[in-house]
mmCIF file with all atom_site columns, all heavy atoms in Angstrom:
data_model
loop_
_atom_site.group_PDB
_atom_site.id
_atom_site.type_symbol
_atom_site.label_atom_id
_atom_site.label_alt_id
_atom_site.label_comp_id
_atom_site.label_asym_id
_atom_site.label_entity_id
_atom_site.label_seq_id
_atom_site.pdbx_PDB_ins_code
_atom_site.Cartn_x
_atom_site.Cartn_y
_atom_site.Cartn_z
_atom_site.occupancy
_atom_site.B_iso_or_equiv
_atom_site.pdbx_formal_charge
_atom_site.auth_seq_id
_atom_site.auth_comp_id
_atom_site.auth_asym_id
_atom_site.auth_atom_id
_atom_site.pdbx_PDB_model_num
ATOM 1   N N   . ASN A 1 275 ? -54.908 54.519 -27.787 1.00 97.00 ? 275 ASN A N   1
ATOM 2   C CA  . ASN A 1 275 ? -56.278 54.717 -28.243 1.00 97.00 ? 275 ASN A CA  1
ATOM 3   C C   . ASN A 1 275 ? -56.404 53.972 -29.556 1.00 97.00 ? 275 ASN A C   1
ATOM 4   O O   . ASN A 1 275 ? -55.799 54.392 -30.545 1.00 97.00 ? 275 ASN A O   1
ATOM 5   C CB  . ASN A 1 275 ? -56.547 56.206 -28.396 1.00 97.00 ? 275 ASN A CB  1
ATOM 6   C CG  . ASN A 1 275 ? -57.962 56.497 -28.863 1.00 97.00 ? 275 ASN A CG  1
ATOM 7   O OD1 . ASN A 1 275 ? -58.526 55.764 -29.654 1.00 97.00 ? 275 ASN A OD1 1
ATOM 8   N ND2 . ASN A 1 275 ? -58.497 57.595 -28.405 1.00 97.00 ? 275 ASN A ND2 1
ATOM 9   N N   . ILE A 1 276 ? -57.198 52.897 -29.596 1.00 96.00 ? 276 ILE A N   1
ATOM 10  C CA  . ILE A 1 276 ? -57.299 52.118 -30.800 1.00 96.00 ? 276 ILE A CA  1
ATOM 11  C C   . ILE A 1 276 ? -58.753 52.259 -31.385 1.00 96.00 ? 276 ILE A C   1
ATOM 12  O O   . ILE A 1 276 ? -59.153 51.438 -32.221 1.00 96.00 ? 276 ILE A O   1
ATOM 13  C CB  . ILE A 1 276 ? -57.004 50.647 -30.560 1.00 96.00 ? 276 ILE A CB  1
ATOM 14  C CG1 . ILE A 1 276 ? -57.973 50.036 -29.459 1.00 96.00 ? 276 ILE A CG1 1
ATOM 15  C CG2 . ILE A 1 276 ? -55.577 50.449 -30.110 1.00 96.00 ? 276 ILE A CG2 1
ATOM 16  C CD1 . ILE A 1 276 ? -57.872 48.543 -29.321 1.00 96.00 ? 276 ILE A CD1 1
ATOM 17  N N   . GLY A 1 277 ? -59.484 53.283 -30.951 1.00 93.00 ? 277 GLY A N   1
ATOM 18  C CA  . GLY A 1 277 ? -60.777 53.540 -31.551 1.00 93.00 ? 277 GLY A CA  1
ATOM 19  C C   . GLY A 1 277 ? -61.953 52.774 -31.000 1.00 93.00 ? 277 GLY A C   1
ATOM 20  O O   . GLY A 1 277 ? -63.024 52.755 -31.624 1.00 93.00 ? 277 GLY A O   1
ATOM 21  N N   . ILE A 1 278 ? -61.783 52.138 -29.891 1.00 92.00 ? 278 ILE A N   1
ATOM 22  C CA  . ILE A 1 278 ? -62.907 51.369 -29.271 1.00 92.00 ? 278 ILE A CA  1
ATOM 23  C C   . ILE A 1 278 ? -63.786 52.269 -28.405 1.00 92.00 ? 278 ILE A C   1
ATOM 24  O O   . ILE A 1 278 ? -63.284 52.963 -27.533 1.00 92.00 ? 278 ILE A O   1
ATOM 25  C CB  . ILE A 1 278 ? -62.349 50.185 -28.465 1.00 92.00 ? 278 ILE A CB  1
ATOM 26  C CG1 . ILE A 1 278 ? -61.674 49.143 -29.396 1.00 92.00 ? 278 ILE A CG1 1
ATOM 27  C CG2 . ILE A 1 278 ? -63.506 49.484 -27.633 1.00 92.00 ? 278 ILE A CG2 1
ATOM 28  C CD1 . ILE A 1 278 ? -62.638 48.462 -30.322 1.00 92.00 ? 278 ILE A CD1 1
ATOM 29  N N   . GLY A 1 279 ? -65.071 52.211 -28.628 1.00 82.00 ? 279 GLY A N   1
ATOM 30  C CA  . GLY A 1 279 ? -66.034 52.941 -27.790 1.00 82.00 ? 279 GLY A CA  1
ATOM 31  C C   . GLY A 1 279 ? -66.247 54.387 -28.184 1.00 82.00 ? 279 GLY A C   1
ATOM 32  O O   . GLY A 1 279 ? -67.065 55.059 -27.598 1.00 82.00 ? 279 GLY A O   1
ATOM 33  N N   . ILE A 1 280 ? -65.459 54.928 -29.168 1.00 78.00 ? 280 ILE A N   1
ATOM 34  C CA  . ILE A 1 280 ? -65.544 56.282 -29.476 1.00 78.00 ? 280 ILE A CA  1
ATOM 35  C C   . ILE A 1 280 ? -66.926 56.678 -30.038 1.00 78.00 ? 280 ILE A C   1
ATOM 36  O O   . ILE A 1 280 ? -67.511 57.746 -29.609 1.00 78.00 ? 280 ILE A O   1
ATOM 37  C CB  . ILE A 1 280 ? -64.457 56.646 -30.482 1.00 78.00 ? 280 ILE A CB  1
ATOM 38  C CG1 . ILE A 1 280 ? -63.082 56.419 -29.896 1.00 78.00 ? 280 ILE A CG1 1
ATOM 39  C CG2 . ILE A 1 280 ? -64.588 58.049 -30.999 1.00 78.00 ? 280 ILE A CG2 1
ATOM 40  C CD1 . ILE A 1 280 ? -62.762 57.306 -28.706 1.00 78.00 ? 280 ILE A CD1 1
ATOM 41  N N   . LEU A 1 281 ? -67.488 55.867 -30.897 1.00 72.00 ? 281 LEU A N   1
ATOM 42  C CA  . LEU A 1 281 ? -68.771 56.263 -31.502 1.00 72.00 ? 281 LEU A CA  1
ATOM 43  C C   . LEU A 1 281 ? -69.954 56.126 -30.588 1.00 72.00 ? 281 LEU A C   1
ATOM 44  O O   . LEU A 1 281 ? -71.021 56.696 -30.822 1.00 72.00 ? 281 LEU A O   1
ATOM 45  C CB  . LEU A 1 281 ? -68.941 55.435 -32.770 1.00 72.00 ? 281 LEU A CB  1
ATOM 46  C CG  . LEU A 1 281 ? -67.921 55.596 -33.888 1.00 72.00 ? 281 LEU A CG  1
ATOM 47  C CD1 . LEU A 1 281 ? -68.280 54.801 -35.139 1.00 72.00 ? 281 LEU A CD1 1
ATOM 48  C CD2 . LEU A 1 281 ? -67.711 57.065 -34.253 1.00 72.00 ? 281 LEU A CD2 1
ATOM 49  N N   . ARG A 1 282 ? -69.794 55.310 -29.520 1.00 80.00 ? 282 ARG A N   1
ATOM 50  C CA  . ARG A 1 282 ? -70.908 55.094 -28.612 1.00 80.00 ? 282 ARG A CA  1
ATOM 51  C C   . ARG A 1 282 ? -70.932 56.126 -27.440 1.00 80.00 ? 282 ARG A C   1
ATOM 52  O O   . ARG A 1 282 ? -71.879 56.093 -26.630 1.00 80.00 ? 282 ARG A O   1
ATOM 53  C CB  . ARG A 1 282 ? -70.800 53.669 -27.991 1.00 80.00 ? 282 ARG A CB  1
ATOM 54  C CG  . ARG A 1 282 ? -70.898 52.538 -29.029 1.00 80.00 ? 282 ARG A CG  1
ATOM 55  C CD  . ARG A 1 282 ? -71.155 51.242 -28.370 1.00 80.00 ? 282 ARG A CD  1
ATOM 56  N NE  . ARG A 1 282 ? -70.170 50.882 -27.337 1.00 80.00 ? 282 ARG A NE  1
ATOM 57  C CZ  . ARG A 1 282 ? -68.995 50.319 -27.587 1.00 80.00 ? 282 ARG A CZ  1
ATOM 58  N NH1 . ARG A 1 282 ? -68.643 50.036 -28.836 1.00 80.00 ? 282 ARG A NH1 1
ATOM 59  N NH2 . ARG A 1 282 ? -68.186 50.040 -26.591 1.00 80.00 ? 282 ARG A NH2 1
ATOM 60  N N   . HIS A 1 283 ? -69.934 56.946 -27.400 1.00 85.00 ? 283 HIS A N   1
ATOM 61  C CA  . HIS A 1 283 ? -69.887 57.913 -26.287 1.00 85.00 ? 283 HIS A CA  1
ATOM 62  C C   . HIS A 1 283 ? -69.509 59.318 -26.794 1.00 85.00 ? 283 HIS A C   1
ATOM 63  O O   . HIS A 1 283 ? -68.829 59.436 -27.836 1.00 85.00 ? 283 HIS A O   1
ATOM 64  C CB  . HIS A 1 283 ? -68.829 57.469 -25.251 1.00 85.00 ? 283 HIS A CB  1
ATOM 65  C CG  . HIS A 1 283 ? -69.081 56.226 -24.581 1.00 85.00 ? 283 HIS A CG  1
ATOM 66  N ND1 . HIS A 1 283 ? -68.790 54.947 -25.136 1.00 85.00 ? 283 HIS A ND1 1
ATOM 67  C CD2 . HIS A 1 283 ? -69.634 55.957 -23.352 1.00 85.00 ? 283 HIS A CD2 1
ATOM 68  C CE1 . HIS A 1 283 ? -69.158 53.985 -24.276 1.00 85.00 ? 283 HIS A CE1 1
ATOM 69  N NE2 . HIS A 1 283 ? -69.688 54.577 -23.231 1.00 85.00 ? 283 HIS A NE2 1
ATOM 70  N N   . ASN A 1 284 ? -69.930 60.320 -26.080 1.00 88.00 ? 284 ASN A N   1
ATOM 71  C CA  . ASN A 1 284 ? -69.496 61.717 -26.402 1.00 88.00 ? 284 ASN A CA  1
ATOM 72  C C   . ASN A 1 284 ? -68.185 61.888 -25.563 1.00 88.00 ? 284 ASN A C   1
ATOM 73  O O   . ASN A 1 284 ? -68.218 62.359 -24.402 1.00 88.00 ? 284 ASN A O   1
ATOM 74  C CB  . ASN A 1 284 ? -70.551 62.740 -25.962 1.00 88.00 ? 284 ASN A CB  1
ATOM 75  C CG  . ASN A 1 284 ? -70.175 64.092 -26.395 1.00 88.00 ? 284 ASN A CG  1
ATOM 76  O OD1 . ASN A 1 284 ? -69.021 64.419 -26.629 1.00 88.00 ? 284 ASN A OD1 1
ATOM 77  N ND2 . ASN A 1 284 ? -71.236 64.961 -26.471 1.00 88.00 ? 284 ASN A ND2 1
ATOM 78  N N   . VAL A 1 285 ? -67.102 61.498 -26.175 1.00 91.00 ? 285 VAL A N   1
ATOM 79  C CA  . VAL A 1 285 ? -65.813 61.460 -25.471 1.00 91.00 ? 285 VAL A CA  1
ATOM 80  C C   . VAL A 1 285 ? -65.353 62.862 -25.034 1.00 91.00 ? 285 VAL A C   1
ATOM 81  O O   . VAL A 1 285 ? -64.882 63.038 -23.940 1.00 91.00 ? 285 VAL A O   1
ATOM 82  C CB  . VAL A 1 285 ? -64.747 60.754 -26.281 1.00 91.00 ? 285 VAL A CB  1
ATOM 83  C CG1 . VAL A 1 285 ? -63.391 60.770 -25.602 1.00 91.00 ? 285 VAL A CG1 1
ATOM 84  C CG2 . VAL A 1 285 ? -65.126 59.342 -26.599 1.00 91.00 ? 285 VAL A CG2 1
ATOM 85  N N   . ALA A 1 286 ? -65.573 63.796 -25.880 1.00 91.00 ? 286 ALA A N   1
ATOM 86  C CA  . ALA A 1 286 ? -65.120 65.186 -25.558 1.00 91.00 ? 286 ALA A CA  1
ATOM 87  C C   . ALA A 1 286 ? -65.889 65.701 -24.372 1.00 91.00 ? 286 ALA A C   1
ATOM 88  O O   . ALA A 1 286 ? -65.270 66.293 -23.467 1.00 91.00 ? 286 ALA A O   1
ATOM 89  C CB  . ALA A 1 286 ? -65.374 66.125 -26.776 1.00 91.00 ? 286 ALA A CB  1
ATOM 90  N N   . VAL A 1 315 ? -64.933 55.454 -20.553 1.00 96.00 ? 315 VAL A N   1
ATOM 91  C CA  . VAL A 1 315 ? -64.416 55.485 -21.918 1.00 96.00 ? 315 VAL A CA  1
ATOM 92  C C   . VAL A 1 315 ? -63.129 56.276 -22.020 1.00 96.00 ? 315 VAL A C   1
ATOM 93  O O   . VAL A 1 315 ? -62.394 56.099 -22.976 1.00 96.00 ? 315 VAL A O   1
ATOM 94  C CB  . VAL A 1 315 ? -65.440 55.988 -22.867 1.00 96.00 ? 315 VAL A CB  1
ATOM 95  C CG1 . VAL A 1 315 ? -65.622 57.519 -22.725 1.00 96.00 ? 315 VAL A CG1 1
ATOM 96  C CG2 . VAL A 1 315 ? -65.147 55.648 -24.349 1.00 96.00 ? 315 VAL A CG2 1
ATOM 97  N N   . ALA A 1 329 ? -59.144 58.239 -23.998 1.00 96.00 ? 329 ALA A N   1
ATOM 98  C CA  . ALA A 1 329 ? -59.599 56.963 -24.524 1.00 96.00 ? 329 ALA A CA  1
ATOM 99  C C   . ALA A 1 329 ? -58.450 56.005 -24.819 1.00 96.00 ? 329 ALA A C   1
ATOM 100 O O   . ALA A 1 329 ? -58.550 55.163 -25.745 1.00 96.00 ? 329 ALA A O   1
ATOM 101 C CB  . ALA A 1 329 ? -60.465 57.151 -25.786 1.00 96.00 ? 329 ALA A CB  1
ATOM 102 N N   . ASP A 1 348 ? -63.933 46.965 -23.213 1.00 95.00 ? 348 ASP A N   1
ATOM 103 C CA  . ASP A 1 348 ? -65.384 46.956 -22.999 1.00 95.00 ? 348 ASP A CA  1
ATOM 104 C C   . ASP A 1 348 ? -66.023 45.675 -23.447 1.00 95.00 ? 348 ASP A C   1
ATOM 105 O O   . ASP A 1 348 ? -67.256 45.539 -23.437 1.00 95.00 ? 348 ASP A O   1
ATOM 106 C CB  . ASP A 1 348 ? -65.988 48.142 -23.750 1.00 95.00 ? 348 ASP A CB  1
ATOM 107 C CG  . ASP A 1 348 ? -65.773 48.097 -25.254 1.00 95.00 ? 348 ASP A CG  1
ATOM 108 O OD1 . ASP A 1 348 ? -64.967 47.206 -25.701 1.00 95.00 ? 348 ASP A OD1 1
ATOM 109 O OD2 . ASP A 1 348 ? -66.321 48.928 -25.955 1.00 95.00 ? 348 ASP A OD2 1
ATOM 110 N N   . HIS A 1 360 ? -61.235 44.694 -36.936 1.00 97.00 ? 360 HIS A N   1
ATOM 111 C CA  . HIS A 1 360 ? -61.186 46.092 -36.376 1.00 97.00 ? 360 HIS A CA  1
ATOM 112 C C   . HIS A 1 360 ? -59.821 46.741 -36.760 1.00 97.00 ? 360 HIS A C   1
ATOM 113 O O   . HIS A 1 360 ? -59.768 47.872 -37.203 1.00 97.00 ? 360 HIS A O   1
ATOM 114 C CB  . HIS A 1 360 ? -61.339 46.021 -34.850 1.00 97.00 ? 360 HIS A CB  1
ATOM 115 C CG  . HIS A 1 360 ? -60.996 47.305 -34.139 1.00 97.00 ? 360 HIS A CG  1
ATOM 116 N ND1 . HIS A 1 360 ? -61.937 48.309 -34.026 1.00 97.00 ? 360 HIS A ND1 1
ATOM 117 C CD2 . HIS A 1 360 ? -59.885 47.753 -33.539 1.00 97.00 ? 360 HIS A CD2 1
ATOM 118 C CE1 . HIS A 1 360 ? -61.372 49.363 -33.399 1.00 97.00 ? 360 HIS A CE1 1
ATOM 119 N NE2 . HIS A 1 360 ? -60.090 49.003 -33.101 1.00 97.00 ? 360 HIS A NE2 1
ATOM 120 N N   . LYS A 1 363 ? -59.141 47.377 -40.748 1.00 96.00 ? 363 LYS A N   1
ATOM 121 C CA  . LYS A 1 363 ? -59.700 48.629 -41.356 1.00 96.00 ? 363 LYS A CA  1
ATOM 122 C C   . LYS A 1 363 ? -59.186 49.858 -40.702 1.00 96.00 ? 363 LYS A C   1
ATOM 123 O O   . LYS A 1 363 ? -59.570 50.992 -41.107 1.00 96.00 ? 363 LYS A O   1
ATOM 124 C CB  . LYS A 1 363 ? -61.248 48.584 -41.328 1.00 96.00 ? 363 LYS A CB  1
ATOM 125 C CG  . LYS A 1 363 ? -61.799 48.651 -39.959 1.00 96.00 ? 363 LYS A CG  1
ATOM 126 C CD  . LYS A 1 363 ? -63.343 48.401 -39.986 1.00 96.00 ? 363 LYS A CD  1
ATOM 127 C CE  . LYS A 1 363 ? -63.976 48.423 -38.612 1.00 96.00 ? 363 LYS A CE  1
ATOM 128 N NZ  . LYS A 1 363 ? -65.420 48.115 -38.646 1.00 96.00 ? 363 LYS A NZ  1
ATOM 129 N N   . ASP A 1 365 ? -59.712 51.089 -37.652 1.00 89.00 ? 365 ASP A N   1
ATOM 130 C CA  . ASP A 1 365 ? -60.948 51.735 -37.199 1.00 89.00 ? 365 ASP A CA  1
ATOM 131 C C   . ASP A 1 365 ? -60.660 52.987 -36.351 1.00 89.00 ? 365 ASP A C   1
ATOM 132 O O   . ASP A 1 365 ? -59.674 53.088 -35.650 1.00 89.00 ? 365 ASP A O   1
ATOM 133 C CB  . ASP A 1 365 ? -61.763 50.743 -36.367 1.00 89.00 ? 365 ASP A CB  1
ATOM 134 C CG  . ASP A 1 365 ? -63.207 51.060 -36.411 1.00 89.00 ? 365 ASP A CG  1
ATOM 135 O OD1 . ASP A 1 365 ? -63.590 51.971 -37.179 1.00 89.00 ? 365 ASP A OD1 1
ATOM 136 O OD2 . ASP A 1 365 ? -64.001 50.406 -35.659 1.00 89.00 ? 365 ASP A OD2 1
ATOM 137 N N   . GLY A 1 366 ? -61.583 53.923 -36.418 1.00 84.00 ? 366 GLY A N   1
ATOM 138 C CA  . GLY A 1 366 ? -61.477 55.173 -35.651 1.00 84.00 ? 366 GLY A CA  1
ATOM 139 C C   . GLY A 1 366 ? -61.501 56.384 -36.501 1.00 84.00 ? 366 GLY A C   1
ATOM 140 O O   . GLY A 1 366 ? -60.803 57.394 -36.204 1.00 84.00 ? 366 GLY A O   1
ATOM 141 N N   . ILE A 1 367 ? -62.295 56.395 -37.617 1.00 80.00 ? 367 ILE A N   1
ATOM 142 C CA  . ILE A 1 367 ? -62.324 57.516 -38.572 1.00 80.00 ? 367 ILE A CA  1
ATOM 143 C C   . ILE A 1 367 ? -62.594 58.804 -37.916 1.00 80.00 ? 367 ILE A C   1
ATOM 144 O O   . ILE A 1 367 ? -62.009 59.834 -38.234 1.00 80.00 ? 367 ILE A O   1
ATOM 145 C CB  . ILE A 1 367 ? -63.340 57.180 -39.668 1.00 80.00 ? 367 ILE A CB  1
ATOM 146 C CG1 . ILE A 1 367 ? -62.857 56.009 -40.575 1.00 80.00 ? 367 ILE A CG1 1
ATOM 147 C CG2 . ILE A 1 367 ? -63.570 58.414 -40.534 1.00 80.00 ? 367 ILE A CG2 1
ATOM 148 C CD1 . ILE A 1 367 ? -63.860 55.609 -41.602 1.00 80.00 ? 367 ILE A CD1 1
ATOM 149 N N   . ARG A 1 368 ? -63.539 58.813 -36.986 1.00 81.00 ? 368 ARG A N   1
ATOM 150 C CA  . ARG A 1 368 ? -63.971 60.138 -36.376 1.00 81.00 ? 368 ARG A CA  1
ATOM 151 C C   . ARG A 1 368 ? -63.314 60.293 -34.986 1.00 81.00 ? 368 ARG A C   1
ATOM 152 O O   . ARG A 1 368 ? -63.904 60.976 -34.151 1.00 81.00 ? 368 ARG A O   1
ATOM 153 C CB  . ARG A 1 368 ? -65.486 60.178 -36.254 1.00 81.00 ? 368 ARG A CB  1
ATOM 154 C CG  . ARG A 1 368 ? -66.152 60.445 -37.608 1.00 81.00 ? 368 ARG A CG  1
ATOM 155 C CD  . ARG A 1 368 ? -67.659 60.465 -37.485 1.00 81.00 ? 368 ARG A CD  1
ATOM 156 N NE  . ARG A 1 368 ? -68.224 59.141 -37.503 1.00 81.00 ? 368 ARG A NE  1
ATOM 157 C CZ  . ARG A 1 368 ? -69.482 58.915 -37.129 1.00 81.00 ? 368 ARG A CZ  1
ATOM 158 N NH1 . ARG A 1 368 ? -70.289 59.900 -36.770 1.00 81.00 ? 368 ARG A NH1 1
ATOM 159 N NH2 . ARG A 1 368 ? -69.978 57.674 -37.120 1.00 81.00 ? 368 ARG A NH2 1
ATOM 160 N N   . ASN A 1 369 ? -62.211 59.681 -34.804 1.00 89.00 ? 369 ASN A N   1
ATOM 161 C CA  . ASN A 1 369 ? -61.537 59.701 -33.451 1.00 89.00 ? 369 ASN A CA  1
ATOM 162 C C   . ASN A 1 369 ? -60.312 60.568 -33.513 1.00 89.00 ? 369 ASN A C   1
ATOM 163 O O   . ASN A 1 369 ? -59.270 60.158 -34.020 1.00 89.00 ? 369 ASN A O   1
ATOM 164 C CB  . ASN A 1 369 ? -61.154 58.236 -33.043 1.00 89.00 ? 369 ASN A CB  1
ATOM 165 C CG  . ASN A 1 369 ? -60.437 58.147 -31.754 1.00 89.00 ? 369 ASN A CG  1
ATOM 166 O OD1 . ASN A 1 369 ? -60.150 59.146 -31.135 1.00 89.00 ? 369 ASN A OD1 1
ATOM 167 N ND2 . ASN A 1 369 ? -60.118 56.966 -31.364 1.00 89.00 ? 369 ASN A ND2 1
ATOM 168 N N   . PRO A 1 370 ? -60.372 61.809 -33.031 1.00 92.00 ? 370 PRO A N   1
ATOM 169 C CA  . PRO A 1 370 ? -59.207 62.701 -33.126 1.00 92.00 ? 370 PRO A CA  1
ATOM 170 C C   . PRO A 1 370 ? -58.046 62.298 -32.258 1.00 92.00 ? 370 PRO A C   1
ATOM 171 O O   . PRO A 1 370 ? -56.923 62.839 -32.459 1.00 92.00 ? 370 PRO A O   1
ATOM 172 C CB  . PRO A 1 370 ? -59.769 64.060 -32.681 1.00 92.00 ? 370 PRO A CB  1
ATOM 173 C CG  . PRO A 1 370 ? -60.930 63.724 -31.851 1.00 92.00 ? 370 PRO A CG  1
ATOM 174 C CD  . PRO A 1 370 ? -61.567 62.471 -32.416 1.00 92.00 ? 370 PRO A CD  1
ATOM 175 N N   . TRP A 1 371 ? -58.251 61.366 -31.363 1.00 93.00 ? 371 TRP A N   1
ATOM 176 C CA  . TRP A 1 371 ? -57.170 60.935 -30.463 1.00 93.00 ? 371 TRP A CA  1
ATOM 177 C C   . TRP A 1 371 ? -56.621 59.549 -30.819 1.00 93.00 ? 371 TRP A C   1
ATOM 178 O O   . TRP A 1 371 ? -55.861 58.969 -30.061 1.00 93.00 ? 371 TRP A O   1
ATOM 179 C CB  . TRP A 1 371 ? -57.650 60.933 -29.002 1.00 93.00 ? 371 TRP A CB  1
ATOM 180 C CG  . TRP A 1 371 ? -58.117 62.290 -28.553 1.00 93.00 ? 371 TRP A CG  1
ATOM 181 C CD1 . TRP A 1 371 ? -57.401 63.391 -28.171 1.00 93.00 ? 371 TRP A CD1 1
ATOM 182 C CD2 . TRP A 1 371 ? -59.473 62.720 -28.500 1.00 93.00 ? 371 TRP A CD2 1
ATOM 183 N NE1 . TRP A 1 371 ? -58.194 64.415 -27.921 1.00 93.00 ? 371 TRP A NE1 1
ATOM 184 C CE2 . TRP A 1 371 ? -59.486 64.066 -28.062 1.00 93.00 ? 371 TRP A CE2 1
ATOM 185 C CE3 . TRP A 1 371 ? -60.707 62.077 -28.752 1.00 93.00 ? 371 TRP A CE3 1
ATOM 186 C CZ2 . TRP A 1 371 ? -60.638 64.790 -27.878 1.00 93.00 ? 371 TRP A CZ2 1
ATOM 187 C CZ3 . TRP A 1 371 ? -61.890 62.832 -28.599 1.00 93.00 ? 371 TRP A CZ3 1
ATOM 188 C CH2 . TRP A 1 371 ? -61.863 64.144 -28.141 1.00 93.00 ? 371 TRP A CH2 1
ATOM 189 N N   . GLN A 1 422 ? -67.470 43.657 -37.794 1.00 94.00 ? 422 GLN A N   1
ATOM 190 C CA  . GLN A 1 422 ? -66.365 44.640 -37.966 1.00 94.00 ? 422 GLN A CA  1
ATOM 191 C C   . GLN A 1 422 ? -65.805 44.610 -39.394 1.00 94.00 ? 422 GLN A C   1
ATOM 192 O O   . GLN A 1 422 ? -64.878 45.397 -39.692 1.00 94.00 ? 422 GLN A O   1
ATOM 193 C CB  . GLN A 1 422 ? -65.246 44.311 -36.990 1.00 94.00 ? 422 GLN A CB  1
ATOM 194 C CG  . GLN A 1 422 ? -65.632 44.545 -35.524 1.00 94.00 ? 422 GLN A CG  1
ATOM 195 C CD  . GLN A 1 422 ? -66.016 45.956 -35.239 1.00 94.00 ? 422 GLN A CD  1
ATOM 196 O OE1 . GLN A 1 422 ? -65.431 46.882 -35.732 1.00 94.00 ? 422 GLN A OE1 1
ATOM 197 N NE2 . GLN A 1 422 ? -67.063 46.151 -34.400 1.00 94.00 ? 422 GLN A NE2 1
ATOM 198 N N   . ARG A 1 427 ? -62.487 49.655 -46.709 1.00 95.00 ? 427 ARG A N   1
ATOM 199 C CA  . ARG A 1 427 ? -61.626 50.490 -45.841 1.00 95.00 ? 427 ARG A CA  1
ATOM 200 C C   . ARG A 1 427 ? -60.305 49.814 -45.570 1.00 95.00 ? 427 ARG A C   1
ATOM 201 O O   . ARG A 1 427 ? -59.267 50.468 -45.477 1.00 95.00 ? 427 ARG A O   1
ATOM 202 C CB  . ARG A 1 427 ? -62.348 50.780 -44.538 1.00 95.00 ? 427 ARG A CB  1
ATOM 203 C CG  . ARG A 1 427 ? -63.309 51.940 -44.655 1.00 95.00 ? 427 ARG A CG  1
ATOM 204 C CD  . ARG A 1 427 ? -64.123 52.140 -43.360 1.00 95.00 ? 427 ARG A CD  1
ATOM 205 N NE  . ARG A 1 427 ? -63.246 52.348 -42.224 1.00 95.00 ? 427 ARG A NE  1
ATOM 206 C CZ  . ARG A 1 427 ? -63.697 52.392 -40.977 1.00 95.00 ? 427 ARG A CZ  1
ATOM 207 N NH1 . ARG A 1 427 ? -64.981 52.172 -40.715 1.00 95.00 ? 427 ARG A NH1 1
ATOM 208 N NH2 . ARG A 1 427 ? -62.887 52.540 -39.953 1.00 95.00 ? 427 ARG A NH2 1
ATOM 209 N N   . GLN A 1 435 ? -57.621 62.192 -40.138 1.00 85.00 ? 435 GLN A N   1
ATOM 210 C CA  . GLN A 1 435 ? -58.278 62.278 -38.811 1.00 85.00 ? 435 GLN A CA  1
ATOM 211 C C   . GLN A 1 435 ? -58.540 63.716 -38.452 1.00 85.00 ? 435 GLN A C   1
ATOM 212 O O   . GLN A 1 435 ? -57.790 64.626 -38.755 1.00 85.00 ? 435 GLN A O   1
ATOM 213 C CB  . GLN A 1 435 ? -57.315 61.683 -37.711 1.00 85.00 ? 435 GLN A CB  1
ATOM 214 C CG  . GLN A 1 435 ? -56.959 60.244 -37.930 1.00 85.00 ? 435 GLN A CG  1
ATOM 215 C CD  . GLN A 1 435 ? -58.143 59.341 -37.909 1.00 85.00 ? 435 GLN A CD  1
ATOM 216 O OE1 . GLN A 1 435 ? -58.361 58.547 -38.830 1.00 85.00 ? 435 GLN A OE1 1
ATOM 217 N NE2 . GLN A 1 435 ? -58.950 59.424 -36.855 1.00 85.00 ? 435 GLN A NE2 1
ATOM 218 N N   . PRO A 1 436 ? -59.669 63.954 -37.738 1.00 87.00 ? 436 PRO A N   1
ATOM 219 C CA  . PRO A 1 436 ? -59.904 65.299 -37.299 1.00 87.00 ? 436 PRO A CA  1
ATOM 220 C C   . PRO A 1 436 ? -58.931 65.692 -36.194 1.00 87.00 ? 436 PRO A C   1
ATOM 221 O O   . PRO A 1 436 ? -58.379 64.806 -35.485 1.00 87.00 ? 436 PRO A O   1
ATOM 222 C CB  . PRO A 1 436 ? -61.383 65.185 -36.701 1.00 87.00 ? 436 PRO A CB  1
ATOM 223 C CG  . PRO A 1 436 ? -61.534 63.765 -36.399 1.00 87.00 ? 436 PRO A CG  1
ATOM 224 C CD  . PRO A 1 436 ? -60.733 63.015 -37.431 1.00 87.00 ? 436 PRO A CD  1
#
Side-chain angles (χ1 to χ4, degrees):
N275 180 325
I276 60 169
I278 292 294
I280 296 298
L281 299 183
R282 298 195 305 276
H283 296 82
N284 187 338
V285 176
V315 73
D348 60 354
H360 170 83
K363 64 187 178 184
D365 207 8
I367 291 176
R368 287 180 279 168
N369 178 358
W371 301 281
Q422 294 298 322
R427 279 175 56 188
Q435 300 298 126

